[in-house]
Amino acid sequence: MITELGHFALILAFFVACFQAIVPLVGAHKRWPGWMSAAEPAAILQFLLTAGSFLALMWAFVTSDFSLQLVVQNSHSLKPMLYKITGVWGNHEGSMLLWVLIVTLFGFFAAWFGQELPPTLKARVLAVQGMIGAAFFAFILFTSNPFLRMAVPPFDGQDLNPLLQDPGLAFHPPFLYLGYVGLSMTFSFAVAALIEGRVDAAWGRWVRPYTLAAWMFLTIGIGLGSWWAYYELGWGGFWFWDPVENASFMPWLIAAALLHSAVVVEKRESLKSWTILLAIIAFGFSMIGAFITRSGVITSVHAFASDPERGVFLLMILAGFMMLGLTLFAARANVMQSKGVFGLVSRESVLVVNNLLLGVAAFVVFVGTIWPLIAEMFFDRKLSVGAPFFNMAFTPFMIVLGLVLPVGAMLSWKRAQMGRVLRKLAPAFVLALAVGALAWAMQTGRSAVGPVGLFLAAWLIGGAITDIWSRTGRSGDKLGRLRRLPRGDWGKTVAHAGLGVTMAGVAAMTAWQVEDIRVVQEGESFEVAGFTLTLDDVRRVEGPNYRSTTGDFTLAKDGSEIASMHPEKRVYPVAGMPTTEAALDNGFLRDVYVVIGDPQSGGGWAVRTYYKPLANWIWGGAILMALGGALSLSDRRYRVAAGARRTKAQGVPAE
């Protein structure tokens, strides 16, 4: 009964979305208040219906209702409760229901918190969001119905993909989708502004919270996915340039550019055309991610489905919304002229450079991701674009970005004096040079990746600290002023410093990692990077839904025991799939990473060990960047469109 109610709620939500897509749009065009006001209750009802449908599907997973085809294919009665719940979105159909739930959630937020929006703009924003919801409801109902029944329910299910039965990946998709789908609101605001023919400072302030929230959630989602790949897949890497990894990274880069560009619109009423274009493209890249993971065009461990028909449907949705946005963009180009002028040396100029670097970097990743597909389709050649290409083509843009970011953050709007800013940043630059020189001196016969990366990291962190300190003035109670600074200023400082911390981790781990692969007998000890590891025992362990071969290792340094480590090699009988569970001893400055493999014919076990300097700085930096986003989002200037009440009746035209 609950399942049928969930299906019925999903159908009703589709019709409400269609209503929301049409009626408020007509009302805004005709200036009919009643029709415009219908957008708000429609958005709220659409969210409540979708939430009810999602909860009904979750109930089927929790209670192991094997009359439902999706539960049979992705669950098992012996599976732990956490993975029964996360099994709801650990598949194509359930993940799409989560996707559309978040579409309606952001529409709900726009309806609930958008009281200061002009009525016509609000109606159009919610109408466009309703169009997006209607398209994805249609996709679910006609191609990916999660509520299909089994004619003869089996006794038990086929289990969830064992790789997905992990806490890191349990929460990775919801955060990633909050970022992906959050960019739908920036698209809705952009299209609504183009329909109205008005892009002004108030619009820039209204769109910023949604952009900031989407970027923040994408940061958390990408960080969780990278962390999961690091310890779960057993190969010890944090980024593989997998097509699906790239599909989440591209909108993150574009969202970062959009966030900085919206600042210029808000502060200086410049870069309007560029900001609108970024808002359209950002959501386009989000939908490209959905297409890649569900069409079967690219093989990946992250892919949900490999159905070409579904891929065509998603491609039609992508093409439709991109044509809508870009056609309106071309038609309204004449009303998006910038009003503010600025000099070559100014914060605006550096933000333009920032946008260009992020945009070109995203384009490089996009080309590398789709080129194998293009080569196979048009040239009948099978190609593989791997890490060497991405590292060589992508890294230079990040180096330049790291160099200019501290300078740009401290430049004044409109016109600035470069010499004054450089004098303030001189201590940070000297510190960065010292850190890079120390790293160079400590290494022998290695590449420049480590020293250059640490220099950039120290430069970013030092620049962020210098920037926040410079805002306290030249004299007086500096600490008191520091405490009273707006949260937005603190958020920018923490986010920029977080980027520096991540760069330090990536550089150190890339340049100075130590890898050791050998066959180890029980009771044998061996040395890796100054640490001593001893294989004490290998045990067979029965888990709730798996069998495990577990190694017991003792980690010691200079004769003193540091930790006990227990890597596992699991086999899930129902799914018939093995997984690797690495053992890690985490430290502030390093990780020791141990993986146990198969028994060898001559006796002993295959063991792979890594020493990874500054490994946790990669994810610590991601946490800091997300925290910076949260601090900025909590600033009332960004949460609420301050000044919007003054422009509610009449905004500043863009002509």
Side-chain angles (χ1 to χ4, degrees), residues 353-378:
V353 173
N354 165 289
N355 273 228
L356 290 174
L357 290 170
L358 290 169
V360 175
F363 180 73
V364 166
V365 176
F366 176 69
V367 170
T369 303
I370 67 165
W371 187 250
L373 176 62
I374 293 174
E376 185 172 354
M377 288 177 61
F378 296 102

Side-chain angles (χ1 to χ4, degrees), residues 450-463:
V452 170
L454 290 187
F455 163 77
L456 284 175
W459 171 238
L460 282 166
I461 296 168

Side-chain angles (χ1 to χ4, degrees), residues 102 106 174-184 213-215 217-218 286:
I102 297 173
F106 275 93
F175 280 109
L176 206 58
Y177 288 5
L178 282 166
Y180 272 152
V181 183
L183 292 173
S184 68
W215 179 85
F217 287 126
L218 268 176
S286 294

Side-chain angles (χ1 to χ4, degrees), residues 64-317:
S64 296
D65 181 1
F66 295 119
S67 67
L68 208 61
Q69 181 176 302
L70 196 65
V71 179
V72 173
Q73 294 172 347
N74 297 278
S75 191
H76 191 273
S77 58
L78 297 179
K79 193 166 63 173
M81 181 56 68
L82 172 64
Y83 304 127
K84 286 185 178 181
I85 295 173
T86 58
V88 177
W89 55 78
N91 56 82
H92 166 68
E93 291 82 358
S95 68
M96 286 310 304
L97 185 56
L98 176 63
W99 177 288
V100 81
L101 173 66
I102 297 173
V103 170
T104 62
L105 174 64
F106 275 93
F108 171 83
F109 284 152
W112 193 263
F113 296 109
Q115 302 304 317
E116 300 296 336
L117 291 173
T120 54
L121 180 65
K122 182 177 180 180
R124 286 169 172 144
V125 167
L126 291 176
V128 177
Q129 195 71 5
M131 291 179 195
I132 296 170
F136 282 100
F137 278 124
F139 175 74
I140 292 173
L141 290 170
F142 298 136
T143 73
S144 310
N145 189 352
F147 294 104
L148 294 179
R149 290 285 195 177
M150 299 286 291
V152 180
F155 179 74
D156 218 327
Q158 300 171 12
D159 208 356
L160 178 67
N161 184 337
L163 288 174
L164 305 181
Q165 296 186 39
D166 178 88
L169 211 64
F171 301 104
H172 163 67
F175 280 109
L176 206 58
Y177 288 5
L178 282 166
Y180 272 152
V181 183
L183 292 173
S184 68
M185 281 306 304
T186 66
F187 177 85
S188 296
F189 268 96
V191 171
L194 289 172
I195 294 172
E196 291 213 344
R198 189 176 66 199
V199 182
D200 52 24
W203 179 88
R205 187 172 293 261
W206 286 320
V207 81
R208 279 188 68 195
Y210 295 102
T211 308
L212 189 58
W215 179 85
M216 180 184 70
F217 287 126
L218 268 176
T219 303
I220 297 171
I222 292 170
L224 281 172
S226 171
W227 181 53
W228 166 80
Y230 172 65
Y231 70 79
E232 175 67 22
L233 298 183
W235 60 286
F238 60 92
W239 196 259
F240 192 61
W241 295 106
D242 178 275
V244 180
E245 290 177 335
N246 296 346
S248 62
F249 191 44
M250 289 183 289
W252 184 87
L253 291 169
I254 298 297
L258 173 59
L259 189 59
H260 291 86
S261 185
V263 175
V264 184
V265 175
E266 178 191 345
K267 301 290 187 183
R268 300 287 302 145
E269 292 209 42
S270 297
L271 303 185
K272 295 177 182 178
S273 297
W274 178 245
T275 305
I276 291 288
L277 184 61
L278 284 176
I280 295 169
I281 292 174
F283 184 54
F285 273 119
S286 294
M287 290 192 289
I288 286 172
F291 171 72
I292 286 176
T293 55
R294 291 169 170 84
S295 62
V297 297
I298 294 177
T299 303
S300 168
V301 67
H302 304 80
F304 279 115
S306 57
D307 186 344
E309 291 184 2
R310 289 172 176 171
V312 170
F313 200 124
L314 284 170
L315 200 58
M316 291 171 61
I317 295 175

Side-chain angles (χ1 to χ4, degrees), residues 350-429:
V350 175
L351 287 173
V352 170
V353 173
N354 165 289
N355 273 228
L356 290 174
L357 290 170
L358 290 169
V360 175
F363 180 73
V364 166
V365 176
F366 176 69
V367 170
T369 303
I370 67 165
W371 187 250
L373 176 62
I374 293 174
E376 185 172 354
M377 288 177 61
F378 296 102
F379 305 110
D380 197 25
R381 296 180 60 189
K382 289 190 175 294
L383 298 177
S384 176
V385 178
F389 165 80
F390 288 106
N391 292 337
M392 184 177 297
F394 178 81
T395 304
F397 296 105
M398 293 299 101
I399 292 175
V400 177
L401 181 66
L403 288 172
V404 303
L405 195 150
V407 178
M410 294 186 64
L411 288 174
S412 302
W413 295 103
K414 196 173 182 179
R415 291 182 182 86
Q417 296 181 0
M418 181 66 76
R420 179 182 296 178
V421 172
L422 293 179
R423 282 194 295 273
K424 289 181 179 180
L425 284 169
F429 185 74

Side-chain angles (χ1 to χ4, degrees), residues 464-496:
I465 294 171
T466 303
D467 180 26
I468 197 74
W469 185 254
S470 70
R471 296 175 184 274
T472 61
R474 296 184 178 181
S475 61
D477 183 13
K478 285 181 169 288
L479 291 179
R481 292 176 184 172
L482 203 62
R483 289 193 297 269
R484 293 190 295 270
L485 284 175
R487 292 180 188 174
D489 292 345
W490 277 106
K492 181 181 74 170
T493 298
V494 172
H496 288 180

